[in-house]
Amino acid sequence: MTTQPVADDDAERKKNRYHFDRHTPDYREKFTDVTAQMLDKCPIAWSDTYGGHWVAAGHSEVFELARSAGHLSNDHDPQHERRGYKGISIPSPDVAFRGGFLEMDPPEQRHYRQLLNPYLSPAAVARWTPLVDEIVRASLNEKIETGRIDFVDDLANIVPAVLTLGMLGIPLKNWDIYVEPIHASVYTSPNSPDIARIQTSRLAMRDDMAAQLAEIRANPRPGLIDALARAEINGSVPPDFELLGIIALLMGGGFDTTTALTARSLEWLSEHPARREQLSAQRGALLDSATEEFLRYFTPAPGDGRTISADCVLAGQEFKEGERVWLSWAMSNRDPAVFPNPNEVDLARTGNRHHSFGLGIHRCIGSNVARMVFKRMVTAVLDRMPDYVCDPAGAEHYQTIGIIQGMKHLPATFTPGPRIGDGLDETIARMQVLVDEEELAAPVTARKGPAVAG
Amino acid sequence: MKVHVDPERCQGHTLCSMIAPALFTLSDEDGHSTAIDGEVPADQESKADEAIRSCPEQAISVIP
Ligand code: SF4
């Protein structure tokens, strides 16, 4: 039997090929080399992994694609009510629900963003700074006399979680119900045997979220959940599973990303003590640019998937409807065409157009939260543990960097110092009173000005 | 020189006002940016330039 060669215009379209698998430990280890190769040879490439998908690595290519919402869809449609698109994860997880407005297209997506922006704008977030400082101070208090801390477990996991719950309108003391499942579900690869156990703990967490939603509906208290509970989107009330998807998105976005950025940055500063001293001494001039540079260099959320929604040519590449695309913020952040010496950390870098919060209409809605919390945690560590040294033997990076480029543990030692004020549990209890009395979680349109932390 | 923020492109990344707070005001509600109306003061020109180079959406332009 002879086989006719199939006339395949795909071969031409997909002539730039790269075997790209970001869920392997190998990719983490070879990230710099893989990135340099792709940027140099194939800033957009076809990869045969995960059912076949495009990978965009070049800065200008990612820029153009991410801002072409008319041709790239975020929609996740597991029930096949529309076109069956698979959302922002590659491979797409086996779930029945989409992940909030990050897996929606306009106009629906825009309605949710407009609803939630007044809780997350720079002015809204600034109101929470005094509370964040209190939680940071108290977290450090728990360890300051011992001379030992795990920056992940004892600081960077706690503060973003407590703040996120506060903004949602969930009792602050519940933070530890949520931290572990969210943390574990991001550092466990979809191929891991552990994934079933984590799915179970995520379901348990969803039960608690559902209880919070019902409670806030029955006894309204301000916060993001209250806004969602009252929402009318496109003229109708969204079903609860949709709202729970959004709450899960806000938690997933609020927790582990800032944790990852903080851990990676603190580890780097420990390895570069002279730069750490410089940052501490010149923080007025350097803290903003250093934060953007750590965001660029460590890119906590390394990318997003999309689906091509209409045949098109973008960034010089021909795409067909239904094809999947991975937009790599992490690789585009190393493009030498935009960032001189891209693999160096330059705390004073200018023109830092990094992609770490994404681009276009889906720009990370929590970017203002992330920056604020990161800066408060890092400066407090510089003040109270200025000589800390991370223990390389105990530092544990996520095995893979497919979802979040984070760390499981980052132990460090430092010269012990005195406690300042009360401990974590007492502080969280006091902050709950502050949140309730000052209605801190109300939208900025209803309540302005920072909290007055006593 | 004058600067202008294209509201269709701006997504509220806030880098412009971080770099040049005297030139860009962010909306309380969504953090999207508006540039000052008048001429950029001479001592702010390099900051304006740096803001333009840093905007991830390339939303800021110079009106000569
Ligand atoms: S940096 Fe650009 S996108 Fe961000 S607020 Fe300013 S103009 Fe808007």
Side-chain angles (χ1 to χ4, degrees):
Chain A
M1 189 182 127
T2 54
T3 36
Q4 288 279 8
V6 184
D8 189 2
D9 61 331
D10 266 16
E12 177 58 21
R13 227 165 39 84
K14 297 177 179 169
K15 66 179 188 303
N16 285 335
R17 283 173 180 262
Y18 198 97
H19 179 84
F20 180 80
D21 189 348
R22 59 184 226 285
H23 293 298
T24 61
D26 196 53
Y27 176 62
R28 182 172 91 78
E29 278 149 34
K30 301 193 177 127
F31 172 78
T32 313
D33 291 342
V34 169
T35 301
Q37 279 172 26
M38 291 195 74
L39 290 171
D40 187 39
K41 303 240 157 52
C42 48
I44 297 180
W46 178 260
S47 171
D48 50 12
T49 45
Y50 303 109
H53 66 287
W54 295 100
V55 180
H59 191 279
S60 68
E61 288 80 5
V62 168
F63 178 79
E64 182 170 345
L65 291 172
R67 299 174 75 267
S68 302
H71 292 98
L72 272 76
S73 168
N74 280 46
D75 190 24
H76 190 191
D77 179 22
Q79 315 287 358
H80 282 263
E81 288 160 348
R82 295 170 299 278
R83 293 200 271 185
Y85 285 175
K86 293 199 159 82
I88 62 146
S89 299
I90 299 177
S92 192
D94 187 15
V95 291
F97 307 109
R98 53 185 174 169
F101 46 85
L102 190 53
E103 293 195 321
M104 295 177 193
D105 291 327
E108 210 182 359
Q109 177 261 2
R110 189 169 54 240
H111 289 299
Y112 281 108
R113 296 280 301 218
Q114 283 166 350
L115 182 72
L116 302 183
N117 272 334
Y119 296 81
L120 294 161
S121 68
V125 169
R127 303 173 303 171
W128 292 87
T129 308
L131 175 139
V132 167
D133 284 342
E134 281 291 279
I135 305 295
V136 171
R137 176 195 55 70
S139 300
L140 297 182
N141 265 359
E142 299 289 328
K143 298 289 162 187
I144 192 81
E145 291 171 328
T146 68
R148 285 180 179 277
I149 189 167
D150 184 318
F151 282 126
V152 176
D153 294 323
D154 303 325
L155 177 69
N157 258 354
I158 300 175
V159 185
V162 173
L163 174 63
T164 306
L165 292 197
M167 293 183 141
L168 284 161
I170 295 177
L172 304 179
K173 65 173 164 42
N174 287 13
W175 67 271
D176 58 346
I177 302 175
Y178 291 90
V179 157
E180 193 45 40
I182 290 181
H183 200 43
S185 71
V186 283
Y187 63 66
T188 308
S189 117
N191 314 320
S192 157
D194 223 21
I195 200 78
R197 184 183 65 80
I198 286 160
Q199 292 289 11
T200 314
S201 77
R202 286 173 80 173
L203 286 180
M205 187 176 67
R206 280 188 91 95
D207 285 348
D208 196 74
M209 280 181 207
Q212 295 292 341
L213 175 60
E215 162 68 17
I216 289 171
R217 225 183 233 134
N219 299 299
R221 53 173 185 263
L224 292 156
I225 294 180
D226 182 57
L228 293 168
R230 296 163 191 268
E232 256 194 35
I233 302 294
N234 277 345
S236 62
V237 177
D240 273 10
F241 71 81
E242 196 84 282
L243 300 183
L244 291 170
I246 291 171
I247 296 167
L249 169 69
L250 293 167
M251 284 194 181
F255 282 33
D256 217 51
T257 47
T258 311
T259 307
L261 177 68
T262 307
R264 303 287 306 273
S265 304
L266 288 174
E267 186 188 38
W268 188 91
L269 288 166
S270 171
E271 290 162 356
H272 300 84
R275 313 281 281 284
R276 175 173 67 185
E277 266 174 48
Q278 185 197 13
L279 175 61
S280 186
Q282 302 168 29
R283 67 183 72 172
L286 280 181
L287 187 57
D288 283 349
S289 59
T291 301
E292 299 312 312
E293 180 67 343
F294 288 134
L295 278 162
R296 179 189 75 84
Y297 190 75
F298 295 121
T299 321
D304 254 4
R306 300 281 189 265
T307 306
I308 300 289
S309 59
D311 293 0
C312 58
V313 177
L314 289 169
Q317 176 65 52
E318 192 186 340
F319 297 100
K320 297 269 188 238
E321 190 271 332
E323 288 177 338
R324 306 274 284 149
V325 187
W326 179 253
L327 304 175
S328 176
W329 318 130
M331 295 198 285
S332 63
N333 279 345
R334 300 294 182 95
D335 193 329
V338 180
F339 308 105
N341 303 316
N343 298 316
E344 310 258 305
V345 173
D346 172 2
L347 298 181
R349 188 180 288 276
T350 60
N352 195 345
R353 295 166 51 200
H354 65 74
H355 290 162
S356 300
F357 290 122
L359 283 176
I361 60 169
H362 295 281
R363 186 265 305 165
C364 170
I365 199 168
S367 59
N368 304 301
V369 182
R371 286 190 173 106
M372 185 270 274
V373 179
F374 171 80
K375 288 174 187 175
R376 306 316 292 180
M377 287 195 285
V378 168
T379 47
V381 170
L382 294 176
D383 285 339
R384 293 182 72 189
M385 304 171 173
D387 64 352
Y388 77 86
V389 179
C390 295
D391 167 19
E396 208 182 327
H397 286 253
Y398 291 177
Q399 221 196 346
T400 61
I401 53 171
I403 302 171
I404 298 287
Q405 315 211 52
M407 299 186 74
K408 290 190 205 179
H409 298 290
L410 181 59
T413 53
F414 55 89
T415 306
R419 286 169 71 99
I420 303 172
D422 49 8
L424 187 58
D425 290 344
E426 303 90 314
T427 302
I428 285 179
R430 276 194 301 110
M431 290 303 107
Q432 186 65 58
V433 175
L434 183 81
V435 170
D436 296 341
E437 283 181 354
E438 298 212 13
E439 304 218 315
L440 257 192
V444 72
T445 38
R447 189 211 171 282
K448 294 185 201 293
V452 189
Chain B
M1 89 194 236
K2 289 184 175 188
V3 281
H4 172 73
V5 176
D6 179 348
E8 296 295 315
R9 293 178 79 111
C10 171
Q11 298 290 346
H13 288 262
T14 76
L15 277 112
C16 54
S17 85
M18 217 185 285
I19 293 161
L23 303 179
F24 301 94
T25 316
L26 303 178
S27 137
D28 272 3
E29 222 172 304
D30 64 9
H32 287 212
S33 174
T34 317
I36 55 161
D37 266 340
E39 284 287 314
V40 172
D43 64 347
Q44 291 281 320
E45 280 183 8
S46 66
K47 296 226 173 207
D49 182 60
E50 162 64 359
I52 291 166
R53 289 199 300 127
S54 302
C55 171
E57 307 286 347
Q58 299 289 280
I60 312 171
S61 51
V62 172
I63 313 171

